[in-house]
Amino acid sequence: MDDIDLLGCIDWIALGYEMVQSIFPEWKFAAFDTIAANALHGTLLVGKRHAIATRKEAWRNELASFTVELSCNGRPSQTGGGAVVLDSPLLALRHLVELLAADPHNPALRAGEIVSTGTLTLAMPVRAGEV
Amino acid sequence: MLSLHSDRIETMSAPTDTPDLNPIVAQVVSSLASHRQIPPFSHLLGERGIADAYRLPALLRAAFEARGELITGRNIGFTNRQM
């Protein structure tokens, strides 16, 4: 399956915010612990959904090159983009698909599932009231 | 808590290729529900293989579904090269 085929399996793409949490004190843990702790997931806020069917090749290029700026209370906080996510969130998705294909324990992706492909910036602490 | 950890260490240290991970799942689910932090498993057990760890999402899925939750997707971690 090439990148365009993989994009053909995706209905929409959106930016999102994930609020993470740690069941371990002081955010100190190893890879095994993060997997055990459900990938530190707290909640996922999904932004505007962009359909991709009509411009797959453009999405393939843009996912690898787009940049984002994270701000807090109107001030720039972090910069990042698609390239820091395994070179592209699309390639991160490919990694997951291939991992699951060889995984005897976890089911393959099903239609309708949401996949969060990883943070575009460094993770930052958040407090109530911040925008 | 100490006795629970002792039980888990004994179980996890058993000389087997397929350790029982259900005690870990039970502690994770309990911690998430109670919002009480627990020591990292690797801190007590030493770093275990990723192959073992990847059995955990399937067990967590079963535990969440058993209490009525709907699994809506997957979350890929450690993909950001800057972290």
Side-chain angles (χ1 to χ4, degrees):
Chain A
M1 181 182 292
D2 65 18
D3 289 348
I4 299 300
D5 292 334
L6 185 57
L7 281 163
C9 299
I10 303 170
D11 188 21
W12 52 266
I13 293 174
L15 289 170
Y17 286 96
E18 184 187 19
M19 310 292 284
V20 294
Q21 60 182 344
S22 174
I23 62 172
F24 310 114
E26 300 178 11
W27 294 87
K28 292 181 178 175
F29 39 72
F32 180 93
D33 301 309
T34 65
I35 298 169
N38 202 32
L40 310 180
H41 178 65
T43 192
L44 179 67
L45 309 175
V46 179
K48 180 182 177 182
R49 301 178 179 191
H50 303 275
I52 63 171
T54 58
R55 52 192 299 275
K56 294 177 193 167
E57 293 203 13
W59 274 112
R60 179 181 57 186
N61 299 330
E62 291 164 6
L63 284 170
S65 61
F66 77 95
T67 60
V68 294
E69 182 178 277
L70 180 68
S71 64
C72 179
N73 289 338
R75 290 189 295 274
S77 172
Q78 298 289 318
T79 58
V84 301
V85 182
L86 298 183
D87 295 331
S88 166
L90 185 64
L91 298 185
L93 176 64
R94 175 182 296 286
H95 177 70
L96 174 64
V97 169
E98 292 175 350
L99 204 62
L100 290 173
D103 188 327
H105 304 290
N106 295 286
L109 291 172
R110 295 167 301 161
E113 285 200 68
I114 294 171
V115 178
S116 66
T117 46
T119 180
L120 302 169
T121 68
L122 296 182
M124 301 301 293
V126 64
R127 296 176 182 80
E130 289 180 338
V131 294
Chain B
M1 287 300 287
L2 286 175
S3 61
L4 277 176
H5 289 309
S6 297
D7 289 345
R8 178 164 53 77
I9 291 169
E10 187 175 321
T11 303
M12 294 296 295
S13 299
T16 170
D17 290 335
T18 55
D20 179 10
L21 299 179
N22 285 297
I24 286 182
V25 171
Q27 287 191 60
V28 169
V29 171
S30 175
S31 176
L32 289 171
S34 66
H35 302 290
R36 293 180 185 275
Q37 292 185 314
I38 58 177
F41 304 107
S42 58
H43 177 71
L44 295 173
L45 303 171
E47 180 67 23
R48 296 201 63 92
I50 294 299
D52 277 349
Y54 279 159
R55 292 168 49 216
L56 287 162
L59 299 174
L60 286 166
R61 167 187 290 267
F64 292 142
E65 289 179 337
R67 65 183 191 187
E69 293 193 32
L70 177 66
I71 306 300
T72 52
R74 316 294 174 99
N75 184 2
I76 317 175
F78 288 133
T79 53
N80 188 312
R81 298 189 192 282
Q82 297 177 329
M83 297 186 74

